[in-house]
Amino acid sequence: MKDTFTKSMSWLHTWASLLLGWLLFFIFLTGTLGYFQKEITQWMKPELPISVNKFTQQELVQIAMNHLKKEAPSSKKWLIKLPNSRENILSVTWSHVRKDKATAMGGHGGGRGKRTTHIINPHTKEIVKPRRTGGGGLLYRMHYRLHYVNARTVGRYIVGIASMLMLIGLITGIIIHLRKILKDFFTFRQDRNLHSWLDGHIFTSVLALPFHLMITYSGLAFFVFTYMPLTALANYDGDMRNYIQEAFPREKAIKIQGIKEPLASIEQMRKNAEAYFGSPIKSISIINQGDSSAIVNFTRENSTLFSSEKADKVYFSGIDGKMIENQSPNRPKATRARDILTGLHRGDFANIYARWLYFLSGVLGTFMIATGLVIWTKKREAKQKDTLGFKLVDNLNMVTIAGLPIAVAVYFWANRLIPIDVPKRAMQEADAMFIAWLAVSVFVFSVNSRKMWVVLFYLSATLYALLPISNFFLTGRHLAITIAQGDWTLVWMDLMLFFTGLAFWYTGHKVQKKISS
Amino acid sequence: MSITLGNKWLMSIRVLTAVIIGYGLTVLYTVAISKTLMILGLTKVNATVSMQLLSFLIYSIVVMWVFSVASLRKLWLHITYSMIISLVLIYLINMGLQ
């Protein structure tokens, strides 16, 4: 019985994983890049001023406040984002709140007035207008809502189905290997057959298994209300609004009094907030600005894992500058459990080391999927090599595993090569990425040979390795400048791109030797 | 082996059972368990959200179970039983809670 159970689990593992394996590869790759989305965005906006971090927070807040007073004196909602260890940007945002709508302490609500954001160069105090790009954020968003499809109706469900299959793939994988998991983990058979692929698959799976389980499960937890609405509907007699209100209690809105009063000293509040957090400030929002009901809200740079926890925010009365109690309602414990899961998934709390660990775990997950997909073909190539299904899987593997990195590289190149002032520029960058991917597919399916692995890997290598070099000609933000100025985000980005190029060259070289032998 | 790979029809039935009936079962179980938790003193919102969060694990187990039962007849019998049991449980708790 046990044997047949393992066999049926093995069947499920194979087919559940294969079905959307290529999509899962896409989700894992773009999601992994998402851990450095801000760094990628910064790289994709070379017009941003360099070394903003030489200013103190006091100076930056002063510059931002002066800008807001000049540009938006009548706006009721101001937001200042300060540069931090990940983002070298000083920006201000304001919006005009509709009169009948009040805004909550945290800055929510208030109707959706027109929002304007200015990035300020603190050296010149002028507005910076970087090129329009989706940046790293676009890659990050693709991993949970795809592209070209409606995120709410289509993207979310497709990604949900893929995540469910991933979860089943993980659990069945554990069951298959349960008894021999430790033994397999320490086994590395270097012979050039199925076994070395299996070992690679098991190694990448087991090494980051807690991460794989956490990331898959917490990914599902984000949209638990979309995926499992019937449970709520049954318990709340079909009243979804009542359920949402209980599960996510909203902050109370603060009415605008209509009495004009000037703001107390922001600098004093900033100092108090900094002392309260024991760490620098990340953002400041001023709600009901210019009114006697004004409230100033600070968030800290190093957020905790419990990101919605009150420890990450502090409030001051805008009139007398005194700290006031956070009146936002407590979320129910189960909602908090979900918050912790989603917090773990996003990794906002992670410092630079934890962030790299997240990134490397994501890379391992991507490798796990890639090796799994290759194993499917390796197991069947002796018997089914000429069947249509085999060819399809084999080619799709090439298109996805070797082709998607090319598409991402093309996205970066498009960022450099599309003229600055064309309309819908950010969209065109994404279009370039998917056109490149489509071109790779057409190429792979028409050539129909395993030699394409090598071609694609070498193409990837070239595209990535040349990106840092292109900066010498296209942006002026090249390594000589960024190292001299100490802009380590850009230095690391260029180095990582070059290293990625080298890694693809090495992979191509290895595969070439394997195919020709 | 429990699954006859050769028979595509039986396999399709099993896949559909796992995906659709499995989802239905998962919903029934989460409702039944969350209602039980409410009797045990958990608030409605906590019982609902925590069972929603656990639903993905339950769904996975249900799917794996659907693929591990050897005969389809036995599988359907079990499904019918557990549906009836959860429905009766939900009904009884609803009566009790009113």
Side-chain angles (χ1 to χ4, degrees):
Chain A
M1 187 64 201
K2 197 159 217 167
D3 184 42
T4 55
F5 179 71
T6 312
K7 264 186 187 157
S8 54
M9 288 303 103
S10 175
W11 186 92
L12 192 56
H13 181 77
T14 305
W15 295 98
S17 310
L18 180 76
L19 187 61
L20 291 180
W22 303 285
L23 179 65
L24 282 167
F25 184 87
F26 174 86
I27 294 171
F28 262 69
L29 189 106
T30 49
T32 302
L33 290 173
Y35 284 119
F36 285 118
Q37 54 161 316
K38 289 182 176 170
E39 289 77 1
I40 294 173
T41 302
Q42 187 152 334
W43 185 88
M44 291 176 86
K45 291 180 176 175
E47 293 81 9
L48 291 175
I50 227 163
S51 63
V52 171
N53 47 12
K54 280 176 189 157
F55 290 83
T56 62
Q57 288 212 324
Q58 180 180 0
E59 290 166 331
L60 292 168
V61 171
Q62 198 55 53
I63 293 166
M65 285 299 285
N66 288 342
H67 192 84
L68 282 166
K69 276 177 199 156
K70 198 174 81 194
E71 296 285 332
S74 63
S75 158
K76 291 276 173 279
K77 237 164 122 177
W78 286 358
L79 172 70
I80 301 169
K81 280 191 182 163
L82 294 168
N84 54 58
S85 55
R86 292 188 63 199
E87 255 181 322
N88 203 6
I89 301 169
L90 172 68
S91 76
V92 294
T93 302
W94 66 87
S95 50
H96 288 279
V97 181
R98 294 224 312 270
K99 267 203 178 124
D100 49 327
K101 301 264 181 169
T103 304
M105 260 179 131
H108 307 297
R112 298 232 166 161
K114 193 173 164 270
R115 279 161 60 101
T116 316
T117 296
H118 280 174
I119 296 171
I120 308 168
N121 181 346
H123 299 279
T124 61
K125 317 230 178 349
E126 275 165 8
I127 304 165
V128 187
K129 286 197 173 136
R131 62 187 65 192
R132 298 207 167 269
T133 175
L138 184 84
L139 291 172
Y140 166 75
R141 283 192 297 280
M142 276 177 192
H143 101 275
Y144 63 86
R145 57 186 223 187
L146 311 179
H147 199 67
Y148 299 124
V149 295
N150 184 306
R152 273 170 188 273
T153 53
V154 183
R156 215 178 258 189
Y157 284 102
I158 293 179
V159 172
I161 293 166
S163 310
M164 243 351 267
L165 288 168
M166 180 83 200
L167 184 62
I168 291 171
L170 284 171
I171 300 176
T172 48
I174 296 170
I175 291 174
I176 300 165
H177 296 285
L178 198 60
R179 271 175 298 174
K180 43 182 185 161
I181 210 157
L182 274 174
K183 201 185 106 221
D184 282 351
F185 179 66
F186 291 109
T187 316
F188 248 106
R189 288 162 286 209
Q190 274 288 350
D191 49 344
R192 292 176 187 174
N193 56 23
L194 170 69
H195 288 301
S196 57
W197 282 103
L198 258 178
D199 293 342
H201 186 57
I202 292 165
F203 181 77
T204 49
S205 309
V206 177
L207 190 62
L209 189 59
F211 171 83
H212 302 326
L213 285 169
M214 176 280 284
I215 212 72
T216 308
Y217 211 93
S218 56
L220 286 161
F222 269 93
F223 302 119
V224 62
F225 315 104
T226 313
Y227 299 151
M228 285 290 160
L230 292 174
T231 314
L233 285 173
N235 281 348
Y236 282 80
D237 304 320
D239 190 351
M240 204 64 175
R241 283 184 75 166
N242 183 13
Y243 159 72
I244 293 289
Q245 268 168 16
E246 279 197 18
F248 296 97
R250 290 281 213 95
E251 293 171 88
K252 251 193 265 155
I254 301 157
K255 273 233 170 80
I256 295 172
Q257 299 295 322
I259 306 162
K260 277 197 176 179
E261 274 206 55
L263 215 54
S265 157
I266 283 277
E267 178 48 25
Q268 194 54 48
M269 290 184 236
R270 189 195 66 78
K271 271 187 190 152
N272 291 343
E274 205 177 66
Y276 175 81
F277 290 142
S279 75
I281 309 299
K282 186 174 170 191
S283 71
I284 307 171
S285 51
I286 298 154
I287 298 137
N288 295 354
Q289 189 275 133
D291 191 77
S292 64
S293 62
I295 280 181
V296 184
N297 159 14
F298 291 80
T299 60
R300 72 198 287 176
E301 186 184 327
N302 307 318
S303 65
T304 51
L305 170 55
F306 313 96
S307 54
S308 61
E309 204 175 47
K310 294 177 175 179
D312 285 343
K313 277 184 180 174
V314 63
Y315 298 87
F316 295 90
S317 152
I319 303 311
D320 56 15
K322 283 203 178 108
M323 201 181 284
I324 48 177
E325 202 191 333
N326 183 351
Q327 286 162 5
S328 54
N330 286 317
R331 286 186 161 194
K333 284 204 173 72
T335 310
R336 297 277 302 121
R338 173 193 168 272
D339 292 342
I340 291 170
L341 276 173
T342 55
L344 268 171
H345 190 104
R346 282 202 310 262
D348 285 337
F349 66 94
N351 60 18
I352 188 68
Y353 305 108
R355 190 161 294 282
W356 273 102
L357 206 59
Y358 264 113
F359 180 79
L360 292 174
S361 306
V363 170
L364 284 174
T366 316
F367 277 17
M368 168 180 77
I369 295 165
T371 49
L373 285 168
V374 171
I375 286 171
W376 190 94
T377 61
K378 290 277 164 197
K379 272 193 175 164
R380 285 159 187 78
E381 68 186 344
K383 283 185 187 166
Q384 315 179 357
K385 203 170 171 78
D386 298 317
T387 62
L388 203 64
F390 181 87
K391 275 281 160 208
L392 182 71
V393 172
D394 209 26
N395 285 340
L396 276 176
N397 281 355
M398 276 184 259
V399 167
T400 315
I401 298 166
L404 180 60
I406 292 177
V408 174
V410 168
Y411 176 61
F412 293 151
W413 274 102
N415 174 264
R416 296 317 203 214
L417 295 175
I418 295 176
I420 304 289
D421 46 5
V422 294
K424 296 196 171 168
R425 191 180 181 285
M427 299 284 274
Q428 290 194 11
E429 287 178 4
D431 290 344
M433 171 175 167
F434 285 101
I435 290 169
W437 207 7
L438 187 69
V440 168
S441 324
V442 172
F443 198 30
V444 166
F445 274 93
S446 51
V447 174
N448 210 3
S449 152
R450 283 223 171 131
K451 287 199 174 117
M452 283 304 290
W453 279 111
V454 184
V455 177
L456 295 178
F457 280 138
Y458 279 147
L459 185 58
S460 250
T462 317
L463 286 172
Y464 280 101
L466 286 181
L467 274 169
I469 294 158
S470 79
N471 278 335
F472 283 92
F473 309 103
L474 296 172
T475 65
R477 285 289 157 86
H478 49 79
L479 276 170
I481 295 263
T482 49
I483 290 174
Q485 298 272 355
D487 194 322
W488 302 114
T489 303
L490 292 183
V491 173
W492 269 104
M493 274 297 299
D494 270 358
L495 288 178
M496 278 308 288
L497 287 167
F498 191 72
F499 174 76
T500 308
L502 282 186
F504 276 119
W505 180 83
Y506 180 75
T507 315
H509 182 69
K510 278 283 205 193
V511 175
Q512 191 176 23
K513 268 199 341 205
K514 207 167 191 171
I515 286 180
S516 55
S517 69
Chain B
M1 187 163 172
S2 60
I3 297 164
T4 30
L5 292 172
N7 198 326
K8 281 180 184 161
W9 275 109
L10 286 182
M11 207 56 227
S12 315
I13 290 173
R14 208 180 274 268
V15 170
L16 286 177
T17 309
V19 174
I20 298 165
I21 310 284
Y23 185 83
L25 272 180
T26 307
V27 172
L28 274 182
Y29 292 159
T30 53
V31 174
I33 301 171
S34 60
K35 291 213 184 266
T36 313
L37 289 172
M38 280 184 236
I39 290 186
L40 294 174
L42 222 63
T43 58
K44 186 156 80 171
V45 62
N46 277 326
T48 308
V49 175
S50 43
M51 283 325 292
Q52 278 179 309
L53 284 174
L54 283 172
S55 64
F56 307 121
L57 183 62
I58 297 174
Y59 194 11
S60 309
I61 294 171
V62 168
V63 168
M64 293 191 313
W65 172 69
V66 168
F67 280 95
S68 66
V69 176
S71 93
L72 269 181
R73 262 180 60 161
K74 212 167 133 193
L75 175 69
W76 279 90
L77 212 65
H78 282 313
I79 288 174
T80 317
Y81 283 152
S82 60
M83 275 192 168
I84 291 171
I85 293 170
S86 344
L87 280 171
V88 167
L89 188 67
I90 293 167
Y91 178 76
L92 287 178
I93 296 175
N94 269 352
M95 298 298 283
L97 285 177
Q98 267 167 18

